[in-house]
Amino acid sequence: MAEEELNIIEEEDAVAGLEVTDEEEVTLEEDHSDQDKKKKMIIIAAAAGGFFILLLLILIMSSSDETVYVQEEPITEELQESLERKKVIPPSQLEVMIKKANLLYAQGNKKEALYLFKQIALHSESISHYNLGVARMKNKQFEQAIAAFKKAIEQNDRVCVSAINAAISALKLGNKELFDYYIDLADASLVNENHSPLFSYYQGLINYYRDHHLEALSSLEHQTSGFFKEEQDYMRAKLAFAMNDPLQSITYLERAISDDDLASLGMLYARLGNLELAKKMLLKALEGGYAPVKNSLALAHVYMKMGLPQEASTIYKSLYDKNEKDYTTIYPLKVTLHPDRFDLKKLQQEYKRQDAYDDMTDLAILLHFAPYKIFDAAHTLGFIKKGSANIYIDDIESAQTYLSKGTHYSKVNSIIAEAINDALNKKLHTALNKLETVVKSYPKHSILNYNLALTYAKLGNLKDANIYFTRSYNLDAKNYMAGILATLSGKLIGKENLKQKQLFKENLDKEIETADIAFVKALFSFADRNYPSVVNWSEEQKIQSSMQNALMVVTAKKLGRTDLEKRFSADLTHIAPRDVLAHMLYIHSNFRELDNKDFTIESLKYIKNLHLTLNDLFYGSHITQKLFIEYTFITGHLYDLALKLQRQMIVESKNIIGIMQALALSNIYLMQFEQSFTLYNRLIDEHKQRDSQTLFYAALAATGADHHANASALLELANLKNRFNMESRYA
């Protein structure tokens, strides 16, 4: 009974996951319905007990004719000790005292009996004020609760526990001055509770509210009694969380778990990364009907962490459609870019892993080194010859047809030649503009579609690249390079056509085994992750082209074959000595095993000796920009590169897009988000760069610059432009 009578009543925690801030208070209120009923019964019993004692005193006093004198000294040492120490007297002992007072009165010891009745009345008054304060706290009448606790304190009884509850009430009212007063009073009066079985509990509470978490946890770890076990375990769970120990928090919470704590337990599991258990707990909480909106949002967040945006979006949309209130206030979220993306040490560790390149990066590397295709001049010349011959036999109609075709192909081939020349001179955007224009007039030209696809791919636009690679192969089933690149790009953007892939393989198998066919088959094996087969191909064939060497570099990385990786990356730099990406692959293959300091020194020395220009970075492929900017960031030279890019942008008059893209991406790494956002806006508005990738990077910059409305709109546009862009869909 004693522990129930002195229960500390506090409000339910408002933050899921037991998150503790300076403005929060520990939650100790028992949430079980039977315990609530028990507390209500205690409060009612205490009030009823006080009324009974008062009524008994009135009856006794009214039946006496004698003047009542207050006895100065108690009649027994036991009673004197209890009263002088103001020891908490539970209702069971009060009943014994009442019986004793009745017996004394009946035996004629009226003065002693009346003294005892007076002490009982005073003690009962203290109980009444205390329990009234508790009841008012439960009703959130905090000002009235403080007044009741103040009266209990004035009786010089229950000072410590009344002061604690008064401090909690003041905290609820946001009155820090009053809170400090009562928590200091509780601390000062704690010495009077040194014999109380609840001493450790009170000490833990006081330390907790003073934000002395370690001291509070120490008090609760060395309990002076087994009272309030669940409450103390619950508070220990909160303290452990406040000290950033979610695992220990889970241990304590599971000891005191109630149905409406399932969601908090789920959020703790989510914090530890155990998302399956988090989902399980949250689903259980929702099945029980506990806080459906709050726990639905928590579950949606967990689904996002699990990489299940579809499930998460279903919940978000359901809540959004209800439009009952602003649900963002339940779990205030601040969208930020992941700090690990700007942590130099973590990025260095990630960069130097052998398997640092993902499938998308591998494909981008292969596409960077993929060759453009030139037109068949003999085929065009054949049309012209046939047209000329038919003129001499008076077949004017046939002659016109052949000559028209010859003129047609001559014109498109001329533009293809110009575009390829631009591309080889690192003017990819210029090449793209020419190819996009001419393909509208000549949509059935297989080589034209292939070159357009490859230009899109080099600029990082895999969606459009896949469309035109597929179209090129459909127009010419012998264009196996178009077919395999359509297969590779389709697989990575979630647009894999299995039927077309099977047909492509069947056609490929029917071909005579030439060196070109063997290479396409090796690429096909790479697409199917059959990396040993690619190695077998390299042992049987003479590796000559830059794309073939690049294939062996990325395959060796997948297999962990450092020997092959170093060999073929070196060969690649000999074939393409002025290609920045080739040297990036060489640096990653040959220097990554060094420690960070030596890696930086040796790789920079290697770069310096090459005397490379930065045209390849300014105007080249997207993957070159990306990997070179990452490299300069982890070696601490990105700021210098950004300054060079700024100067180049000022003097450049023709092809400024590549420079702006490189500078905008550099500014994201440098956390210069506002500058990056401005540059991406210019790229989108002035230079019409509205592909999904550019829109996504612009959204990143907008997020970093806290322009969340712009970021949301840009992500939506990125998704509309390319529904296969998984990054924009997820974001």
Side-chain angles (χ1 to χ4, degrees):
M1 296 291 291
E3 68 271 22
E4 294 171 355
E5 182 186 4
L6 294 176
N7 195 13
I8 309 300
I9 307 298
E10 298 176 24
E11 186 171 80
E12 180 177 293
D13 188 6
V15 181
L18 305 174
E19 185 172 356
V20 180
T21 66
D22 292 340
E23 297 179 356
E24 290 182 316
E25 65 284 348
V26 68
T27 301
L28 299 173
E29 181 178 354
E30 292 180 79
D31 293 315
H32 304 291
S33 58
D34 57 335
Q35 290 171 327
D36 287 335
K37 290 176 182 176
K38 187 186 295 183
K39 292 175 188 173
K40 292 176 182 177
M41 290 173 64
I42 294 164
I43 295 170
I44 295 169
F51 177 77
F52 170 77
I53 295 167
L54 181 61
L55 178 61
L56 182 62
L57 284 171
I58 292 172
L59 290 174
I60 293 173
M61 292 174 67
S62 62
S63 64
S64 173
D65 295 331
E66 299 181 25
T67 304
V68 177
Y69 296 97
V70 178
Q71 185 169 310
E72 297 298 330
E73 299 293 336
I75 61 170
T76 65
E77 292 182 3
E78 180 184 357
L79 179 59
Q80 181 177 359
E81 182 184 359
S82 295
L83 295 176
E84 284 181 352
R85 285 171 50 195
K86 297 297 179 186
K87 185 178 180 181
V88 173
I89 305 174
S92 58
Q93 293 186 26
L94 283 175
E95 291 176 9
V96 173
M97 292 175 66
I98 292 168
K99 289 179 181 179
K100 190 170 186 177
N102 285 334
L103 182 61
L104 288 170
Y105 193 87
Q107 290 175 348
N109 295 327
K110 293 183 179 181
K111 289 184 179 181
E112 295 175 359
L114 289 173
Y115 173 79
L116 190 54
F117 278 128
K118 180 180 178 181
Q119 297 303 318
I120 292 170
L122 289 172
H123 191 77
S124 299
E125 183 181 357
S126 173
I127 292 175
S128 297
H129 289 310
Y130 174 79
N131 283 337
L132 179 61
V134 168
R136 286 173 172 172
M137 281 186 75
K138 288 178 71 68
N139 289 328
K140 304 186 187 303
Q141 298 171 295
F142 299 115
E143 289 185 1
Q144 296 91 325
I146 291 172
F149 290 128
K150 182 180 179 182
K151 289 183 179 179
I153 292 168
E154 288 172 352
Q155 297 296 326
N156 202 26
D157 189 19
R158 299 173 181 272
V159 175
C160 184
V161 66
S162 295
I164 291 172
N165 275 357
I168 295 169
S169 299
L171 193 63
K172 288 289 187 181
L173 294 171
N175 190 331
K176 188 178 185 305
E177 185 178 349
L178 199 57
F179 165 79
D180 290 339
Y181 169 78
Y182 279 113
I183 205 68
D184 288 344
L185 177 61
D187 191 26
S189 61
L190 183 62
V191 66
N192 297 324
E193 305 292 341
N194 58 354
H195 295 292
S196 169
L198 297 176
F199 177 81
S200 62
Y201 187 34
Y202 296 156
Q203 189 178 49
L205 283 168
I206 293 168
N207 281 321
Y208 180 84
Y209 284 113
R210 283 183 156 175
D211 290 330
H212 300 164
H213 295 153
L214 188 61
E215 293 84 347
L217 195 57
S218 177
S219 299
L220 297 174
E221 290 289 348
H222 302 86
Q223 298 180 19
T224 52
S225 75
F227 298 148
F228 292 116
K229 186 177 183 306
E230 286 189 3
E231 288 84 349
Q232 295 196 58
D233 282 337
Y234 192 71
M235 186 160 69
R236 283 194 286 181
K238 296 189 73 171
L239 287 164
F241 184 83
M243 296 171 68
N244 199 27
D245 189 353
L247 185 60
Q248 191 75 333
S249 183
I250 288 173
T251 301
Y252 289 132
L253 185 59
E254 286 179 336
R255 295 179 188 174
I257 193 71
S258 62
D259 288 343
D260 53 356
D261 288 328
L262 289 170
S264 294
L265 188 58
M267 295 297 276
L268 281 170
Y269 279 126
R271 188 178 182 87
L272 284 175
N274 194 332
L275 300 177
E276 281 296 336
L277 267 177
K279 181 181 77 171
K280 182 179 177 181
M281 293 295 111
L282 288 166
L283 286 172
K284 278 188 177 181
L286 285 169
E287 287 171 6
Y290 296 99
V293 173
K294 182 178 179 182
N295 292 336
S296 292
L297 278 174
L299 181 61
H301 296 339
V302 168
Y303 278 142
M304 287 298 290
K305 294 287 282 184
M306 294 176 75
L308 300 172
Q310 184 62 49
E311 289 81 351
S313 64
T314 300
I315 297 175
Y316 291 139
K317 189 174 188 306
S318 173
L319 294 173
Y320 181 80
D321 288 344
K322 291 178 182 178
N323 199 27
E324 294 175 1
K325 59 179 178 178
D326 184 6
Y327 294 117
T328 60
T329 60
I330 296 175
Y331 289 111
L333 298 177
K334 178 177 175 57
V335 179
T336 61
L337 302 179
H338 201 296
D340 284 359
R341 294 294 87 196
F342 308 97
D343 188 312
L344 187 58
K345 289 185 178 179
K346 289 184 178 179
L347 283 179
Q348 286 173 335
Q349 292 172 354
E350 184 177 313
Y351 180 88
K352 292 168 66 178
R353 293 195 340 259
Q354 183 163 24
D355 61 345
Y357 298 164
D358 58 15
D359 291 343
M360 194 69 77
T361 302
D362 288 338
L363 177 58
I365 290 170
L366 292 175
L367 290 167
H368 171 86
F369 291 106
Y372 280 96
K373 284 185 175 293
I374 197 65
F375 51 87
D376 186 348
H379 180 67
T380 303
L381 187 60
F383 282 118
I384 296 173
K385 285 182 177 180
K386 286 181 180 180
S388 300
N390 285 331
I391 291 174
Y392 291 106
I393 59 174
D394 295 328
D395 188 353
I396 303 300
E397 186 175 345
S398 296
Q400 287 178 338
T401 300
Y402 283 118
L403 290 173
S404 176
K405 286 184 178 180
T407 304
H408 169 91
Y409 282 111
S410 294
K411 183 176 182 180
V412 69
N413 288 342
S414 174
I415 296 174
I416 289 174
E418 289 179 16
I420 292 175
N421 186 59
D422 288 332
L424 294 177
N425 285 294
K426 313 303 179 187
K427 300 177 183 179
L428 284 175
H429 289 93
T430 303
L432 181 65
N433 290 336
K434 290 178 179 178
L435 293 171
E436 283 180 330
T437 300
V438 76
V439 80
K440 296 174 184 178
S441 301
Y442 308 102
K444 295 183 179 181
H445 194 297
S446 177
I447 299 300
L448 173 60
N449 279 277
Y450 171 85
N451 288 329
L452 176 59
L454 186 57
T455 308
Y456 276 128
K458 289 177 185 289
L459 291 172
N461 185 350
L462 285 185
K463 176 203 168 188
D464 289 333
N466 176 259
I467 291 172
Y468 288 99
F469 278 135
T470 303
R471 186 178 296 174
S472 175
Y473 177 70
N474 289 336
L475 289 168
D476 179 7
K478 295 293 184 179
N479 190 346
Y480 289 112
M481 184 59 72
I484 189 57
L485 293 180
T487 300
L488 278 165
S489 57
K491 186 175 183 178
L492 286 184
I493 67 172
K495 198 181 176 183
E496 188 174 20
N497 188 327
L498 295 178
K499 185 177 180 180
Q500 186 182 57
K501 179 181 176 182
Q502 183 60 34
L503 182 63
F504 171 75
K505 188 175 186 305
E506 290 174 0
N507 291 338
L508 190 63
D509 290 339
K510 294 175 184 177
E511 293 289 338
I512 298 172
E513 189 78 2
T514 64
D516 289 342
I517 294 299
F519 178 45
V520 173
K521 287 182 177 180
L523 287 168
F524 197 93
S525 296
F526 183 83
D528 281 345
R529 302 183 186 279
N530 185 2
Y531 306 125
S533 180
V534 181
V535 175
N536 292 337
W537 160 78
S538 71
E539 293 171 350
E540 296 171 358
Q541 300 287 333
K542 184 178 180 181
I543 309 302
Q544 294 179 314
S545 72
S546 58
M547 188 181 185
Q548 290 173 344
N549 277 278
L551 174 62
M552 288 311 303
V553 172
V554 295
T555 300
K557 288 181 185 296
K558 296 291 188 186
L559 289 171
R561 291 286 304 273
T562 305
D563 56 330
L564 292 178
E565 189 185 347
K566 288 182 177 180
R567 171 189 157 193
F568 286 105
S569 64
D571 290 347
L572 182 59
T573 60
H574 295 147
I575 295 172
R578 308 304 299 171
D579 193 302
V580 174
L581 182 58
H583 294 292
M584 287 295 98
L585 294 176
Y586 180 86
I587 287 171
H588 187 264
S589 300
N590 289 271
F591 298 141
R592 67 165 180 270
E593 295 175 355
L594 301 175
D595 61 39
N596 291 337
K597 182 179 178 180
D598 289 341
F599 170 81
T600 300
I601 293 172
E602 294 301 321
S603 63
L604 288 175
K605 187 188 298 181
Y606 173 84
I607 288 286
K608 186 177 181 180
N609 291 334
L610 294 172
H611 304 290
L612 294 171
T613 66
L614 291 179
N615 283 346
D616 202 25
L617 173 64
F618 295 158
Y619 311 118
S621 66
H622 170 72
I623 191 62
T624 303
Q625 286 186 9
K626 183 176 181 293
L627 292 185
F628 190 80
I629 288 169
E630 284 182 0
Y631 166 75
T632 52
F633 179 70
I634 67 169
T635 55
H637 286 71
L638 183 55
Y639 182 75
D640 294 334
L641 175 64
L643 291 177
K644 291 179 181 178
L645 289 169
Q646 286 176 351
R647 289 194 291 268
Q648 184 70 19
M649 194 169 72
I650 293 171
V651 299
E652 180 62 52
S653 58
K654 294 182 180 179
N655 190 8
I656 199 172
I657 294 175
I659 305 170
M660 291 179 68
Q661 288 176 329
L663 182 56
L665 184 58
S666 298
N667 280 332
I668 288 180
Y669 277 95
L670 293 170
M671 301 181 73
Q672 301 295 321
F673 300 119
E674 197 66 53
Q675 293 91 319
S676 179
F677 180 57
T678 301
L679 286 170
Y680 278 118
N681 273 335
R682 287 183 59 190
L683 282 165
I684 294 166
D685 296 335
E686 297 176 17
H687 300 283
K688 312 303 179 187
Q689 298 301 300
R690 295 169 184 171
D691 58 280
S692 182
Q693 179 181 261
T694 300
L695 292 166
F696 175 73
Y697 279 123
L700 292 185
T703 301
D706 288 333
H707 301 313
H708 298 298
N710 298 88
S712 180
L714 287 163
L715 287 171
E716 186 70 25
L717 289 171
N719 191 39
L720 289 172
K721 278 283 184 180
N722 181 7
R723 64 187 181 89
F724 302 110
N725 185 338
M726 295 306 294
E727 286 186 307
S728 62
R729 288 180 65 187
Y730 191 91

